[in-house]
């Protein structure tokens, strides 16, 4: 799920996002945090540089809107007189006197959220692609699955929103996510009345799934059974397929990867050169004694990774210093084709 809101991404992450948007402001105009709102800083004529409210909240949505307004202010400062500027600022930036369109349908509102989603870069600063299955999945899991239950031809009012929320168990993760998706809709169409109602809902998660854990010893015992070392296999068992998947799972164990990240490794059977011109040997190169791997932004079939580009090293417990050899991490590495085959065919 994409992370669009303060309570999803954490306040520290929100501050880092704000720093990023601050660096994108045009010359002469900057953004400043003022409690839970954003202000624009600039000077008009001979007056000193000062802060001015811009009707933007200190949220990711607010940052995007504030950056857009900063660009408009920079252009207006070049082309209008001081008196005209302040009239324009009140009308276009602070939006004083503007009347919200309360007759917007849910279909119209959803279209505005969708437009915002596809035109805003992801948190990894990559432009989202409607043809990318990861981006489509992100839209559906974050917004689409909830919005599809709204009456698209009806005007945006509270009752359908309340009915949608009531379909989910309060305290569950889904309850938290549906409220977040509806807050996004309210913010995009600037319906503060709806946003206030949604802010009053307690979305604290109290119901959690039981997580399954497995020790390394249990994994090694299971691996030996799957390979037929300590257990009998059916005559039709495909050992090569089992080895492929065991290699993928072993990569998760050794490097702490998400499963899709296994299929985004860039140096399985060939060296990788970083942008700093550092050459990282192929993982199947016996001279790569550090066993470093490079995880790219995309998998073998073009889906995206959550963490974007990064370099990872193995995590070897003292009890198993030979884990790389034990799990045949390097000997299985003729594997750019192997990982592609797993992803595309399941084999």
């Amino acid at each position: 799920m994409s992370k669009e809101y303060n309570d999803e991404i954490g306040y520290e992450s929100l501050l880092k996002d704000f720093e990023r948007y601050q660096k994108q402001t045009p010359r002469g105009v900057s953004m400043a945090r003022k409690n839970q709102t954003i202000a624009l800083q600039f000077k008009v004529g001979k007056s000193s540089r000062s802060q001015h409210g811009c009707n933007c909240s200190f949220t990711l949505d607010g940052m995007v809107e504030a950056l857009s307004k900063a660009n408009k202010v920079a252009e207006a400062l070049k082309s209008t007189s001081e008196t005209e500027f302040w009239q324009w600022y009140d009308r276009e930036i602070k939006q004083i006197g503007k009347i919200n369109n309360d007759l917007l349908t849910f279909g119209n509102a959803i279209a505005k959220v969708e437009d915002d989603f596809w035109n805003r870069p992801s948190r990894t600063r990559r432009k989202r692609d409607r043809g990318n299955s990861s981006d489509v999945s992100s839209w559906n899991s974050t917004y689409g699955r909830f919005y599809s239950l709204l009456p698209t031809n009806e005007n945006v009012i509270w009752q359908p929103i309340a009915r949608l929320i009531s379909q989910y168990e309060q305290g569950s993760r889904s309850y938290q996510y549906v409220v977040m998706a509806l807050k996004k809709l309210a913010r995009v169409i600037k319906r503060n009345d709806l946003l206030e109602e949604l802010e009053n809902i307690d979305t604290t998660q109290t119901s959690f799934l039981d997580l399954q854990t497995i020790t390394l010893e249990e994994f090694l015992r299971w691996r030996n059974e799957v390979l037929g070392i300590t257990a009998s296999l059916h005559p039709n068992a495909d050992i090569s397929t089992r080895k492929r998947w065991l290699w993928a799972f072993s990569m998760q164990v050794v490097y702490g990867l998400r499963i899709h990240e296994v299929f985004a490794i860039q140096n399985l059977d060939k060296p990788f050169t970083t942008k700093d011109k550092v050459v990282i040997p192929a993982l199947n190169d016996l001279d790569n004694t550090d066993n470093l791997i490079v995880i790219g932004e995309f998998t073998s079939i073009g889906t995206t990774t959550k963490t974007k580009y990064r370099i990872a090293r193995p995590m070897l417990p003292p009890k198993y210093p030979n884990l790389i050899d034990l799990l045949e991490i390097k000997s299985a590495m003729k594997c750019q084709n192997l990982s592609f085959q797993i992803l595309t065919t399941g084999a």
Side-chain angles (χ1 to χ4, degrees), residues 114 117-118 122 124 126-141 260 296-306:
E114 191 167 6
F117 177 87
W118 291 109
S122 69
T124 59
R126 177 186 58 80
K127 181 174 174 54
R128 292 180 172 122
D129 179 6
R130 291 177 184 269
N132 185 291
S133 59
S134 292
D135 290 338
V136 173
S137 175
S138 179
W139 162 261
N140 288 331
S141 62
H260 67 276
E297 186 174 358
F298 297 94
T299 66
S300 300
I301 59 173
T303 56
T304 58
T305 57
K306 185 175 182 179

Side-chain angles (χ1 to χ4, degrees), residues 41-233:
Q41 293 185 137
F42 54 90
K43 62 177 295 185
V44 180
K46 296 181 180 180
S47 63
S48 60
R49 187 180 179 87
S50 56
Q51 291 186 7
H52 304 278
C54 63
N55 197 25
C56 296
S57 60
F58 190 67
T59 61
L60 281 175
D61 295 323
M63 292 172 200
V64 173
E65 185 177 8
L67 180 59
S68 174
K69 289 182 176 182
N71 284 302
K72 292 178 181 178
V73 167
E75 290 299 316
L77 287 171
K78 299 175 186 176
S79 58
T80 58
S81 67
E82 187 169 343
T83 301
E84 291 173 336
F85 173 82
W86 288 120
Q87 292 174 348
W88 171 87
Y89 192 87
D90 285 344
R91 182 179 68 254
E92 299 297 330
I93 304 302
K94 297 177 74 174
Q95 298 179 313
I96 294 175
K98 280 202 170 184
I99 301 174
N100 288 330
N101 181 10
D102 292 336
L103 300 180
L104 208 64
T105 67
F106 279 107
N108 297 143
I110 292 166
K112 287 180 177 292
V113 179
E114 191 167 6
D115 183 66
D116 175 84
F117 177 87
W118 291 109
N119 287 293
R120 180 189 301 190
S122 69
R123 290 185 61 79
T124 59
R125 306 185 192 183
R126 177 186 58 80
K127 181 174 174 54
R128 292 180 172 122
D129 179 6
R130 291 177 184 269
N132 185 291
S133 59
S134 292
D135 290 338
V136 173
S137 175
S138 179
W139 162 261
N140 288 331
S141 62
T142 309
Y143 305 117
R145 61 176 170 145
F146 303 118
Y147 294 164
S148 65
L149 302 177
L150 289 169
T152 55
N153 293 325
E154 293 184 18
N155 291 340
V156 178
I157 56 176
W158 174 249
Q159 285 77 7
I161 290 174
R163 286 198 298 269
L164 173 56
I165 295 172
S166 69
Q167 295 181 40
Y168 297 87
E169 179 185 355
Q170 188 163 12
S172 67
R173 193 178 187 186
S174 294
Y175 188 88
Q176 187 179 64
Y177 284 168
V178 69
V179 174
M180 289 176 180
L182 293 167
K183 284 181 182 179
K184 172 73 172 185
L185 187 143
R187 280 197 296 266
V188 167
I189 63 174
K190 301 186 183 302
R191 286 291 300 274
N192 290 331
D193 57 328
L194 300 179
L195 189 58
E196 288 176 8
E197 293 278 2
L198 292 164
E199 292 287 3
N200 289 329
I201 296 175
D202 183 2
T203 58
T204 303
Q205 187 174 352
T206 57
S207 175
F208 300 89
L209 295 176
D210 292 331
L211 298 178
Q212 291 181 310
T213 60
I214 184 172
T215 66
L216 181 55
E217 287 76 11
E218 289 171 330
F219 176 80
L220 293 173
R221 285 198 297 270
W222 173 74
R223 181 177 182 274
N224 287 336
E225 292 175 3
V226 170
L227 290 175
I229 297 173
T230 58
S232 298
L233 300 180

